[in-house]
Amino acid sequence: NRDNIQSGDLLVWTGDETDGKDEFYLKLVRLMTMSDYGHVSIAWKVQDTLHHVEATQPKITFTKVSNKATFYRIPIGIPVSDQQMSSFFDSKLGLKYSFLDAFYAYIGRTLKDEDRWQCVELANYFYRSIGIDVGPVYVPNRFVRALMSKTGQPLVYYGPLTLGA
């Protein structure tokens, strides 16, 4: 039930979604990283509507999660207020995505350009800001495992919503 998703939960994407994400790019990320996942984003509930913040080409965005989307979720198990979400993300919305940061993450290095981000880097910095530190992990598969281990929370699958659901 998507009603259980809370602001601050991690949304995990494989590239098999039907919500318009660049499936080719996510599948390429999965291949390059030998990962089950190609992308992560942070859930943000606004007036009971599920949105997410994500670093994706070309910039960090805040968008509604499509009812057609299939994804996984890691519930973080702690409440995150709108003020905490705004405090962290408002200054980052619109900043550019960094293919270079993503590439370096995949080869095990971190190049931090303060005005450019990749998805796991954004998620990792967000979780540190609310007290969940999983260490210097910047590849989707490793980040998902590290967050599950740190929070003790499972990975939960969500399929497309159907009318009346």
Side-chain angles (χ1 to χ4, degrees):
N1 185 341
R2 290 183 185 206
D3 292 339
N4 295 331
I5 299 172
Q6 300 298 312
S7 291
D9 288 350
L10 185 74
L11 304 184
V12 181
W13 308 87
T14 64
D16 298 326
E17 293 77 33
T18 57
D19 69 343
K21 292 199 178 304
D22 187 342
E23 293 177 18
F24 173 78
Y25 177 72
L26 294 184
K27 288 178 181 181
L28 181 62
V29 169
R30 288 174 57 190
L31 178 66
M32 288 175 50
T33 62
M34 294 182 289
S35 174
D36 294 328
Y37 318 109
H39 183 61
V40 298
S41 62
I42 309 297
W44 191 344
K45 287 285 260 302
V46 178
Q47 299 175 350
D48 294 325
T49 300
L50 180 60
H51 296 78
H52 64 143
V53 179
E54 61 181 336
T56 188
Q57 183 60 27
K59 62 186 178 182
I60 297 174
T61 60
F62 169 78
T63 55
K64 182 178 176 185
V65 175
S66 167
N67 287 340
K68 296 177 184 177
T70 59
F71 56 90
Y72 294 86
R73 162 194 174 228
I74 299 175
I76 59 166
I78 60 172
V80 179
S81 70
D82 278 341
Q83 181 178 1
Q84 287 173 294
M85 297 293 288
S86 291
S87 176
F88 184 83
F89 289 114
D90 283 355
S91 65
K92 293 170 183 58
L93 292 174
L95 294 178
K96 292 182 179 179
Y97 178 81
S98 173
F99 280 111
L100 189 56
D101 279 4
F103 172 74
Y104 276 118
Y106 302 138
I107 63 171
R109 292 183 52 211
T110 302
L111 173 67
K112 182 65 185 110
D113 183 344
E114 290 302 319
D115 68 345
R116 295 180 185 269
W117 296 82
Q118 57 99 338
C119 67
V120 179
E121 179 181 37
L122 182 67
N124 197 324
Y125 278 75
F126 168 72
Y127 287 117
R128 282 188 207 159
S129 80
I130 62 168
I132 302 172
D133 189 350
V134 299
V137 182
Y138 300 103
V139 175
N141 205 41
R142 286 184 243 149
F143 186 74
V144 166
R145 287 192 311 253
L147 189 62
M148 288 171 56
S149 176
K150 185 74 171 186
T151 62
Q153 297 290 334
L155 189 64
V156 180
Y157 175 77
Y158 290 82
L161 283 178
T162 57
L163 292 177

